[in-house]
């Protein structure tokens, strides 16, 4: 479907990026080939010169990959997109394309961990400095911008605190200083939030999460607004080589078709679970964009169509309570990642961030009782029943502990 500007989002999910194929194939064929044959020396020459359209080599462009890229560009309301081998390959492509030695980046402090590490190690090694600020605080953004700032990089809702940055206002501040705004839209997906329409210049996603949605692909994507930026990014990606392959692109494209209905279910179930958790005696605090108790609830209403499927809770009882909950769930699976059809649960203090030590964890906002939940599309009553029995074990242990200590 070539002109997708007028149809509804669900229709775009099913039809975007789909063309006329040989044999009347309804879905894009998987062109599992590394290279494409030229008809003649002249044909090869004109393809390389860009005088004729066509495919040369899969690192440069592949029809199956391109179908998926076109679909996501349409869903984000962008001009074109670039498929990458992972979300981190997408993040790296962005900084490789937009910065050089001597430049400065302003980045959300609540951002995906490896993004922080990339900026603090590899980008720093190549002379790019980063200031991390709470981008949900507009004054902090204003103050952090310097004459050599090239990018404001925002993740909203942020990881794992789920704080929300006002994309319209951040974009205004950055553009006044001639700085590009890049948004990691992984937690929302284009079904819930379209940063380009709110003023951002570039959007990225980890395809690994909601876009593919089935926990069987690692991939990333960058969406841009105009042809000039696209050509610049394409050259960068072609040179650094972090492309996605045709088969994974096919799987992502298949996942996209159900994105709208999956996101509806993620949001609805997460809302039900969050409201239930908020009243539970073992929950010290909860962060979920769909609760009125969320500090940025109003900003959320302004810029996203739904709260998403991610919930962060603070358990009473700290590290041991977190461990016990992890070992007690039966339906929720203990795993990192998010955005798949299956519900996942993670306890950073005893798992992903254990080796950091408590002090470093606390500096990053990761308390001992913090638990992150990715709500899947199972029956919500089953999910609540699982959390209920696991929290009951935590409560019993907590009561015993309290008795021992008095
Ligand atoms: C997972 C994730 C990434 C990185 O994506 P990979 O596909 O794992 O490389 C980046 N940003 C956010 C918000 C993520 O959740």
């Amino acid at each position: 479907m070539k002109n997708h500007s007028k149809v509804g989002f669900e229709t775009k999910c099913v039809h975007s990026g789909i063309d006329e194929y040989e044999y009347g194939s309804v879905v894009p064929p998987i062109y599992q080939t590394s290279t494409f044959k030229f008809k003649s020396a002249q044909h090869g020459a004109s393809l390389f010169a860009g005088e004729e359209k066509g495919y040369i080599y899969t690192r440069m462009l592949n029809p199956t990959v391109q179908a998926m890229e076109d679909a996501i560009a349409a869903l984000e309301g962008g001009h074109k997109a670039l498929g990458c081998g992972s979300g981190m390959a997408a993040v790296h492509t962005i900084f490789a394309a937009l910065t050089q030695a001597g430049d400065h980046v302003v980045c959300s402090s609540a951002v995906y961990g490896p993004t922080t590490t990339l900026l603090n190690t590899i980008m720093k090694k190549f002379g790019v400095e980063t200031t991390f600020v709470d981008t949900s605080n507009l004054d902090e953004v204003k103050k952090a911008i310097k004459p050599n700032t090239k990018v404001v990089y925002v993740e909203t809702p942020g990881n794992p605190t789920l704080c929300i940055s006002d994309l319209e206002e951040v974009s205004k501040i950055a553009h006044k200083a001639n700085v590009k705004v890049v948004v990691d839209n992984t937690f929302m997906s284009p079904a819930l939030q379209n940063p380009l329409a709110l003023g951002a210049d570039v959007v990225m996603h980890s395809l690994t999460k909601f876009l593919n949605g089935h926990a069987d692909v690692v991939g990333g994507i960058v969406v841009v607004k105009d042809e000039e930026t696209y050509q610049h990014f394409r050259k960068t990606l072609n040179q650094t080589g972090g492309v996605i392959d045709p088969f994974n692109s096919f799987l992502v494209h298949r996942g996209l078709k159900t994105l709208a209905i999956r996101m509806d279910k993620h949001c609805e179930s997460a809302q039900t679970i969050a409201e239930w958790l908020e009243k539970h005696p073992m929950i010290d605090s909860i962060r979920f964009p769909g609760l009125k108790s969320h500090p940025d609830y109003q900003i959320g209403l302004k810029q996203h169509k739904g709260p998403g499927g991610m919930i962060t809770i603070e358990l009473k009882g700290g590290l041991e309570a977190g461990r016990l909950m992890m070992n007690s769930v039966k339906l929720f699976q203990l795993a990192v990642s998010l955005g798949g059809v299956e519900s996942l649960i993670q306890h950073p203090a005893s798992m992903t961030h254990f080796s950091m030590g408590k002090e470093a964890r606390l500096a990053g906002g990761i308390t001992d009782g913090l638990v992150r939940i990715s709500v899947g599309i199972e029956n919500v009553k089953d999910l609540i029943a699982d959390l209920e029995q696991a929290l009951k074990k935590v409560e019993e242990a907590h009561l015993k502990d309290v008795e021992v200590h008095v």
Side-chain angles (χ1 to χ4, degrees):
M1 194 183 63
K2 289 292 176 198
N3 181 10
H4 11 60
S5 54
K6 289 190 186 74
V7 298
F9 188 79
E10 298 89 333
T11 310
K12 284 185 198 172
C13 285
V14 177
H15 293 284
S16 289
I18 304 289
D19 212 334
E20 296 288 330
Y21 303 110
E22 220 182 348
Y23 307 120
S25 175
V26 169
V27 297
I30 305 172
Y31 288 97
Q32 192 73 19
T33 181
S34 59
T35 194
F36 298 83
K37 202 159 59 174
F38 307 133
K39 292 186 197 105
S40 63
Q42 186 51 40
H43 179 222
S46 65
L47 282 177
F48 267 104
E51 291 157 8
E52 211 176 321
K53 278 200 166 174
Y55 299 95
I56 298 172
Y57 184 61
T58 283
R59 173 161 45 74
M60 300 163 79
L61 216 54
N62 172 288
T64 314
V65 178
Q66 204 179 10
M68 179 276 291
E69 291 172 338
D70 289 351
I72 295 177
L75 297 183
E76 277 293 6
H79 170 63
K80 279 183 187 165
L82 303 101
C84 302
S86 68
M88 286 317 299
V91 179
H92 178 245
T93 301
I94 289 166
F95 288 118
L98 294 181
T99 63
Q100 63 183 45
D103 286 348
H104 175 250
V105 171
V106 175
C107 181
S108 302
S109 42
V111 72
Y112 185 67
T115 303
T116 313
T117 312
L118 172 73
L119 287 164
N120 280 338
T121 57
I122 295 172
M123 295 316 296
K124 190 168 182 171
K125 186 174 81 173
F126 287 104
V128 177
E129 293 289 332
T130 304
T131 306
F132 293 91
V133 298
D134 175 4
T135 48
S136 69
N137 181 335
L138 297 172
D139 281 339
E140 280 196 32
V141 178
K142 255 181 231 161
K143 278 189 204 135
I145 293 178
K146 303 197 237 180
N148 61 337
T149 305
K150 291 288 154 59
V151 176
V152 173
Y153 187 95
V154 184
E155 186 176 311
T156 181
N159 201 346
T161 59
L162 300 178
C163 62
I164 295 168
S165 303
D166 188 326
L167 290 177
E168 257 179 331
E169 294 303 321
V170 169
S171 300
K172 275 185 207 155
I173 293 166
H175 291 160
K176 233 182 238 166
N178 217 4
V179 172
K180 294 253 187 282
V181 176
V182 177
V183 177
D184 182 337
N185 202 26
T186 302
F187 270 33
M188 288 275 100
S189 91
L192 303 179
Q193 181 168 275
N194 298 116
L196 298 179
L198 297 165
D201 302 285
V202 176
V203 169
M204 71 74 54
H205 286 274
S206 166
L207 295 174
T208 317
K209 317 296 168 54
F210 289 107
L211 286 182
N212 176 58
H214 293 74
D216 51 11
V217 167
V218 170
I221 197 130
V222 181
V223 188
V224 297
K225 269 176 156 167
D226 58 77
E227 184 63 20
E228 195 187 336
T229 312
Y230 172 74
Q231 289 302 339
H232 176 56
F233 274 63
R234 183 57 78 188
K235 270 188 205 126
T236 308
L237 183 60
N238 188 26
Q239 282 155 19
T240 51
V243 291
I244 193 168
D245 69 275
F247 185 62
N248 275 345
S249 299
F250 170 84
L251 287 175
V252 170
H253 205 160
R254 182 163 85 152
L256 287 181
K257 295 178 188 188
T258 55
L259 178 68
I261 55 168
R262 280 189 286 112
M263 291 317 293
D264 281 350
K265 182 74 176 168
H266 285 298
C267 289
E268 186 191 311
S269 295
Q271 184 75 38
T272 307
I273 291 172
E275 285 171 13
W276 179 82
L277 282 169
E278 196 173 32
K279 291 188 212 111
H280 197 283
M282 286 315 289
I283 307 298
D284 219 18
S285 64
I286 178 166
R287 275 289 182 98
F288 178 65
L291 292 176
K292 291 210 175 80
S293 59
H294 191 294
D296 309 315
Y297 179 74
Q298 292 301 333
I299 299 168
L301 286 186
K302 199 178 77 165
Q303 71 185 15
H304 58 231
K305 297 183 194 86
M310 301 301 297
I311 303 173
T312 299
I313 54 174
E314 180 69 35
L315 281 180
K316 282 183 189 152
L319 198 68
E320 281 316 308
R323 274 207 186 105
L324 184 57
M325 185 173 185
M326 294 307 109
N327 289 333
S328 304
V329 286
K330 295 184 175 120
L331 185 54
F332 277 84
Q333 299 180 82
L334 226 61
V336 295
S337 197
L338 58 106
V341 291
E342 55 287 286
S343 294
L344 302 180
I345 193 161
Q346 216 254 92
H347 180 225
S350 75
M351 295 163 66
T352 44
H353 296 69
F354 180 70
S355 61
M356 276 171 81
K358 187 166 175 165
E359 237 170 77
R361 280 201 303 270
L362 284 178
I366 297 167
T367 46
D368 278 354
L370 190 143
V371 169
R372 198 185 75 176
I373 296 171
S374 174
V375 178
I377 64 166
E378 301 95 335
N379 185 304
V380 70
K381 284 188 193 139
D382 295 337
L383 294 175
I384 289 180
D386 192 36
L387 292 173
E388 187 165 28
Q389 63 82 24
L391 285 171
K392 193 158 179 234
K393 294 211 175 95
V394 176
E395 193 169 7
E396 283 161 6
H398 186 66
L399 287 176
K400 237 187 260 162
D401 204 36
V402 171
E403 272 164 30
V404 171
H405 284 93
V406 285

